[in-house]
Amino acid sequence: MTREKTQFILQAYRPNSEDAYDPQFADALRRAREDPVLGRWFAEEQAMDAAFAAKLRAQPTPSGLKTQILLARATIRHRSQWRQPVWLAVAATVALLVSLAGWRVRFISGDTPLAEFQGAMATAALDLSNHVDAFAMDAPALKQWLTEHQGHPDFVLPPKIAEHGVMGCKIVEWQGRRVTRLCMKLDDGHADIFVANATDLTGVTLGDAPRFAVAGALPTATWQRDGKIYHLAGNVSADQLKQLL
Amino acid sequence: MDVDETDYEQAVALYQEDLHRFAISLTYNPDDARDLTQESYCRFLTKSGQLRDYMKVKSWLFTTLYRVFPGWKRREKRFPHFDLATVEHENPMLTPEIVNKIDGDVVMEALLEIDEPHRTPLVLFYRQSLSCREIAEMLEVPVGTVMSRLSRPKAALRAIVTARTAGGSQSNGTPFPANRTKLFKIA
């Protein structure tokens, strides 16, 4: 790769983003580290980008815009009421499909409490409507939210998942018990970790080593730690799921 | 996904400022930018059934705004385009220290001088801090095209800022000059 080509690539490099993992950028970054001239140019380019970005981000947003957008919702909701029967029909169809999917998962997995739990959680993971009730929170805020909503704030995540971070959470119900769902965004999809009290799954005893399985179409891993059952399910490949643990 | 009140309010709280900045960068007109931002949220309410992944609310809103934008684009046709080459030779050394001292409105005005197809990747890069792949996905172009659309516009932006600074151009206090006359078209 020539110096000009490397500069061309590095001009589009966004620091602290996924760009660093792209092979093309990774190669160009390596060259910038090895070539002092290129390295100086890149440092200057980054400084210039930071200066321009700071100037452009400082532009103010008009006051009242948020209120205007929120007020517009009432108008839109009113305008779209005629569509309600259609949406009710769609919702009914989706509910039927989700129920059938859950039934299919149960049928495939058998009827042990663990299999029922795994099947129900796989169904919940596939249901993307109202997927999270709280999102974009830092860890203390997330735990506070879970405390207020009778979830499982004392969950302990495997190191890689903890480092990755969760995007949001929701409390789902399973056989009248509360289960905490923690949702993560992955490069090619998303994964959910469900946390339940071990006492809610009668007769189920697991170790802290993940037990891998497939529930419905989703690869899953289930383990137990400190009186809680953790169930990981994601719309990713089984290998990608294993790499999270 | 179905959008309930909480979803909507969170999406407004989290993204309205970024969306509005993006809209300003596209329209360089505050009224159009407000309308464009609001229209994007209206479509979020009515068409978010197309959205399958909650994590993609932000990119869905940005993509929607970008697609709605052509209807707001008519103003641009009033302005003549000038080739970048006309300012490139006037481009002395610009340093980060100089940029730090320049009025932000001057930089914004310079950005708005760049023609839209090249301005948008620049806006997403500088103002929204998107990665190259994210910009490519949003604009539905290959990553290599994004690199091309960042390379020359970055040079153009520096050239225009340099020309304005060297020419003693001072901001009139508003980022939307009523007497805009030039738009730099990058060949």
Side-chain angles (χ1 to χ4, degrees):
Chain A
M1 190 189 298
T2 64
R3 188 176 280 167
E4 289 71 28
K5 174 70 174 172
T6 307
Q7 287 179 317
F8 175 77
I9 293 169
L10 290 177
Q11 275 189 327
Y13 177 70
R14 160 60 53 203
N16 305 315
S17 78
E18 62 187 342
D19 280 349
Y21 302 103
D22 181 281
Q24 204 172 193
F25 282 116
D27 191 31
L29 289 168
R30 181 186 56 76
R31 289 182 61 83
R33 282 192 298 271
E34 293 171 353
D35 180 340
V37 175
L38 203 51
R40 278 195 296 277
W41 169 86
F42 185 49
E44 181 78 4
E45 182 74 9
Q46 295 275 282
M48 190 70 96
D49 282 346
F52 271 103
K55 290 291 172 187
L56 291 170
R57 287 191 203 125
Q59 294 295 315
T61 305
S63 61
L65 176 63
K66 184 178 174 184
T67 306
Q68 179 186 327
I69 294 168
L70 290 174
L71 286 174
R73 176 183 49 192
T75 311
I76 295 296
R77 286 291 188 214
H78 178 73
R79 203 169 69 192
S80 61
Q81 271 182 351
W82 65 272
R83 294 179 182 167
Q84 256 188 349
V86 177
W87 285 111
L88 283 173
V90 171
T93 306
V94 169
L96 179 63
L97 289 173
V98 167
S99 301
L100 286 173
W103 173 81
R104 182 172 174 270
V105 168
R106 278 195 296 279
F107 179 77
I108 291 168
S109 332
D111 282 320
T112 66
L114 180 60
E116 283 185 13
F117 175 73
Q118 289 173 324
M121 294 308 107
T123 303
L126 286 167
D127 182 6
L128 295 179
S129 63
N130 295 318
H131 199 70
V132 293
D133 283 340
F135 64 101
M137 290 177 162
D138 57 19
L142 182 66
K143 298 208 171 197
Q144 176 68 28
W145 189 92
L146 287 171
T147 302
E148 290 167 359
H149 292 79
Q150 293 88 49
H152 302 80
D154 50 347
F155 64 81
V156 178
L157 297 177
K160 283 186 187 171
I161 294 178
E163 188 181 341
H164 184 282
V166 298
M167 179 273 288
C169 65
K170 184 182 180 77
I171 306 298
V172 297
E173 293 223 344
W174 175 70
Q175 296 187 351
R177 278 87 172 217
R178 296 174 79 77
V179 178
T180 295
R181 169 163 67 196
L182 304 167
C183 180
M184 292 182 296
K185 180 187 184 303
L186 304 175
D187 287 343
D188 299 318
H190 91 279
D192 290 334
I193 293 191
F194 297 92
V195 187
N197 293 327
T199 51
D200 289 342
L201 279 81
T202 311
V204 173
T205 305
L206 295 166
D208 56 7
R211 185 186 293 182
F212 295 100
V214 174
L218 303 182
T220 67
T222 312
W223 66 96
Q224 185 169 339
R225 179 173 176 171
D226 297 336
K228 291 187 175 51
I229 300 283
Y230 293 84
H231 178 67
L232 172 65
N235 62 347
V236 293
S237 70
D239 285 342
Q240 286 173 305
L241 192 87
K242 285 179 182 172
Q243 284 170 10
L244 292 169
L245 298 171
Chain B
M1 58 178 274
D2 187 27
V3 179
D4 64 21
E5 288 198 7
T6 307
D7 294 335
Y8 185 75
E9 286 175 10
Q10 284 179 325
V12 173
L14 285 171
Y15 308 130
Q16 54 106 6
E17 289 189 5
D18 283 345
L19 267 184
H20 182 263
R21 289 191 184 109
F22 184 40
I24 284 282
S25 307
L26 292 173
T27 64
Y28 47 80
N29 178 291
D31 293 332
D32 280 350
R34 285 179 83 106
D35 290 348
L36 196 50
T37 305
Q38 183 165 328
E39 177 62 21
S40 301
Y41 277 103
C42 288
R43 293 190 185 207
F44 181 55
L45 280 174
T46 57
K47 297 187 176 179
S48 58
Q50 302 163 354
L51 186 57
R52 293 279 169 250
D53 185 347
Y54 207 98
M55 279 304 298
K56 296 190 173 172
V57 168
K58 183 177 181 182
S59 64
W60 189 91
L61 283 166
F62 272 82
T63 304
T64 299
L65 190 148
Y66 184 64
R67 288 178 181 163
V68 172
F69 166 61
W72 271 259
K73 206 177 170 184
R74 54 195 176 276
R75 291 163 194 271
E76 188 173 316
K77 293 174 182 169
R78 294 207 302 263
F79 306 117
H81 292 178
F82 290 84
D83 196 289
L84 173 63
T86 61
V87 291
E88 273 183 329
H89 69 281
E90 301 169 0
N91 189 8
M93 181 64 75
L94 189 68
T95 66
E97 292 73 27
I98 294 173
V99 176
N100 286 335
K101 291 175 185 169
I102 295 172
D103 188 326
D105 289 345
V106 172
V107 179
M108 185 66 187
E109 288 171 16
L111 176 72
L112 297 176
E113 293 292 335
I114 296 171
D115 62 329
E116 189 278 314
H118 295 92
R119 185 168 68 243
T120 301
L122 211 52
V123 169
L124 295 172
F125 183 80
Y126 277 137
R127 299 187 80 167
Q128 309 305 335
S129 302
L130 296 188
S131 70
C132 208
R133 188 183 62 80
E134 288 171 319
I135 297 172
E137 281 182 4
M138 192 168 290
L139 303 182
E140 296 179 327
V141 297
V143 167
T145 304
V146 174
M147 288 177 177
S148 296
R149 290 191 189 174
L150 283 173
S151 180
R152 294 205 69 201
K154 282 173 82 171
L157 181 64
R158 292 172 195 183
I160 298 165
V161 167
T162 301
R164 283 172 170 264
T165 309
S169 170
Q170 295 297 316
S171 170
N172 59 7
T174 166
F176 315 105
N179 60 344
R180 173 183 304 284
T181 56
K182 289 192 293 184
L183 201 67
F184 290 95
K185 185 173 177 62
I186 297 168

